[in-house]
Amino acid sequence: MSKKGYWMAMVDVRDPEVYKQYIEANAAAFAKYGAKFPVRAGRHANPEGPTGNRHVLVEFESYDRAIECYESPEYRAALKYRLAASTGHFVIVEGA
């Protein structure tokens, strides 16, 4: 059995209107690749310094599936909105 894959993002959204377009556009990729959202925004604390104003953890059935989603044409079409509207830290990791 393969380990789950995760996208982890700490984002500082500068343009909420354009970021909404990202959220709308990424739905196709997330549905196609079976993404689940254990964390999608919500309350947060920054006990060790600034981490952005939006935090997201996206779960996939495997690390390979997480990579496939990121590299998919569906997600690439959405990504342009995130990059235009925000800065942050983003990583794809394999679960324990």
Side-chain angles (χ1 to χ4, degrees), residues 5-24:
Y6 296 90
W7 291 10
M8 297 170 30
M10 295 184 300
V11 180
D12 191 24
V13 177
R14 295 183 315 269
D15 187 334
E17 292 305 312
V18 173
Y19 200 84
K20 284 180 190 176
Q21 291 177 283
Y22 165 67
I23 292 170
E24 292 169 6

Side-chain angles (χ1 to χ4, degrees), residues 6-80:
Y6 296 90
W7 291 10
M8 297 170 30
M10 295 184 300
V11 180
D12 191 24
V13 177
R14 295 183 315 269
D15 187 334
E17 292 305 312
V18 173
Y19 200 84
K20 284 180 190 176
Q21 291 177 283
Y22 165 67
I23 292 170
E24 292 169 6
N26 69 31
F30 290 151
K32 180 178 179 179
Y33 291 91
K36 297 179 183 175
F37 293 86
V39 176
R40 195 172 204 179
R43 295 187 316 163
H44 67 278
N46 297 325
E48 296 186 10
T51 61
N53 56 24
R54 186 172 177 87
H55 307 89
V56 180
L57 178 65
V58 186
E59 179 182 276
F60 295 88
E61 66 184 35
S62 69
Y63 175 78
D64 291 339
R65 198 74 169 156
I67 295 290
E68 290 169 8
C69 183
Y70 187 82
E71 294 175 348
S72 72
E74 296 88 354
Y75 186 72
R76 290 301 179 164
L79 180 60
K80 63 184 176 190

